[in-house]
Amino acid sequence: MRERATRLGVIGCGGFGLYALQHFTQVPGVELVGMAGTHREAAYAAARRFGIPDPVEVEELVNRPEVDLIYIATPPFLHHAQAMLALEAGKHVISEKPLAMTLDEAERNLLLIANLMQRYNPVFDKVRRLIESKALGEFLHGYFENYANDEGLPPGHWFWDRAKSGGIFVEHGVHFFDLFAGWLGPGRVESAQASIRPGTGIEDQVQCAVRYADGALVNFYHGFTQVGRMDRQEMRLLFERGDVTLYDWVPTLIEIRAIADEKDTRDLCEIFRGARLDVTENYPPKDRTCTGRHKKLDIYQKFTMAYGLGEQKMHRYGELLRAMMTDQAAWTRDRNHQRRITETNGRDSLAMALAADSLAHGRYGDIGR
Ligand SMILES: NC(=O)c1ccc[n+]([C@@H]2O[C@H](COP(=O)([O-])OP(=O)(O)OC[C@H]3O[C@@H](n4cnc5c(N)ncnc54)[C@H](O)[C@@H]3O)[C@@H](O)[C@H]2O)c1
């Protein structure tokens, strides 16, 4: 017998909502049945694009019996109230990140998912396997540098209004706090700063340092200052015997620089199957021994690897959204289904973002979780 489809209603269909729906509607077993929003012309156009009725009021949509799951793609300050309405009407909820604007709100919403789709990226698993394998030794340090564009964010946009967005750590940083927590486990925000664009009230740059197990620190920087065509990101993880760099905020390309013995080389080739390996130096038997961190190492080669060459970022982005919806919709039909992200991800990433935001603004009450 064919399983009944998960019927989706969407609240808010702006820039990102429309993009996400184009992917969610491709997922087998998911059917878009309704839309609610601010009745802008763009929402009517989106409804026509998907062949669904014109947008209705939020209360009406969440109370429709034919809706099983609500996707919220409104600005952050609306997520909590709209999610509560949907939950009270007995609907499942996938909310755009952040899950809420305060932890109190997030605590109460234990049946909610935030769209932290980074963990569905195949490169997430590759890096996690690399860390676990210790093929490059212990993890020592990392950074995420986000040189984001503000071309679509005019001065009056909700993004700059901290009461509506929660600030950059909350609105955007949550993705990367969740990603690194998936790799390194729980962390604690140690320090954070923010900068205002001179002559304006716009806070456009933030950074923080987070400490993970064994004392390793990771720096997170976000600046919304660039022109669209120069939007770029870089993530680096440093290990005892090499480093790994990922590019773009939805990473597709991984570059590795390493020294290794034969077994570690084989393990790296196994984890990054299909990667291009370029040998930089070979070490003859008399030169194999070296030391780092006061440890004696046996090394036969220095090389670089490139994994994911030629992959398209926008295609990967769509793939993640489809994978997230497939995973979560499966759970609405079968509670034994093991999901990749759960309510905990939304809550923990928000806790870290709020801690960073507090520290950056000179409030020291709630560091870490
Ligand atoms: N997961 C991701 O990769 C990703 C990427 C971009 C944006 N986002 C998130 O998506 C959300 C929306 O961002 P956007 O860039 O699409 O913003 P946007 O301003 O383009 O769209 C917001 C939409 O919400 C609607 N809206 C506003 N007030 C409303 C109300 N009271 N009731 C119903 N609808 C209302 C607007 O009409 C608009 O359609 C944000 O939370 C953002 O963080 C997520």
Side-chain angles (χ1 to χ4, degrees), residues 67-300:
V67 173
D68 304 307
L69 169 63
I70 292 285
Y71 168 57
I72 300 175
T74 52
F77 74 105
L78 295 166
H79 293 177
H80 172 70
Q82 291 173 338
M84 291 312 285
L85 270 182
L87 289 177
E88 277 159 19
K91 311 300 183 190
H92 300 290
V93 176
I94 295 178
S95 169
E96 258 324 316
K97 48 78 192 168
L99 193 53
M101 297 273 282
T102 68
L103 275 185
D104 278 351
E105 290 173 352
E107 298 285 4
R108 271 181 264 128
N109 295 349
L110 287 175
L111 288 167
L112 279 180
I113 282 298
N115 182 13
L116 295 163
M117 74 302 157
Q118 297 274 13
R119 292 209 193 195
Y120 293 91
N121 192 333
V123 309
F124 168 78
D125 290 329
K126 297 279 174 206
V127 172
R128 187 151 76 177
R129 271 182 72 194
L130 171 69
I131 294 169
E132 282 166 8
S133 74
K134 303 229 189 284
L136 293 178
E138 298 296 335
F139 172 77
L140 300 174
H141 178 71
Y143 67 70
F144 175 59
E145 290 280 307
N146 180 8
Y147 309 146
N149 85 86
D150 65 352
E151 237 181 314
L153 302 171
H157 195 282
W158 58 258
F159 180 85
W160 304 117
D161 180 348
R162 288 173 45 78
K164 291 189 169 157
S165 69
I168 292 175
F169 284 125
V170 171
E171 206 285 337
H172 200 68
V174 285
H175 270 309
F176 307 95
F177 291 140
D178 185 57
L179 191 61
F180 275 83
W183 287 332
L184 304 173
R188 181 185 153 89
V189 183
E190 297 272 353
S191 65
Q193 295 83 26
S195 300
I196 303 279
R197 191 174 296 182
T200 73
I202 287 179
E203 187 172 288
D204 62 352
Q205 298 184 76
V206 298
Q207 64 176 22
C208 71
V210 180
R211 191 181 292 282
Y212 295 90
D214 297 331
L217 286 162
V218 176
N219 295 328
F220 295 85
Y221 166 84
H222 301 274
F224 284 75
T225 60
Q226 300 287 290
V227 301
R229 64 197 69 175
M230 285 297 280
D231 190 279
R232 60 208 186 277
Q233 292 75 28
E234 203 172 293
M235 258 176 251
R236 164 85 46 89
L237 291 94
L238 173 71
F239 297 84
E240 289 173 304
R241 299 192 292 277
D243 56 63
V244 176
T245 309
L246 296 89
Y247 297 94
D248 287 332
W249 82 269
V250 175
T252 52
L253 176 63
I254 304 182
E255 284 177 357
I256 300 166
R257 294 182 290 198
I259 49 170
D261 63 12
E262 289 80 352
K263 177 179 179 308
D264 286 339
T265 308
R266 204 172 67 241
D267 287 350
L268 286 165
C269 289
E270 178 57 33
I271 295 169
F272 297 98
R273 202 177 284 181
R276 190 185 71 200
L277 186 148
D278 288 306
V279 176
T280 316
E281 266 183 302
N282 274 312
Y283 305 108
K286 69 176 181 42
D287 295 331
R288 285 181 65 120
T289 303
C290 52
T291 62
R293 292 185 92 210
H294 304 145
K295 290 180 183 173
K296 198 163 151 194
L297 305 174
D298 174 43
I299 300 298
Y300 95 117

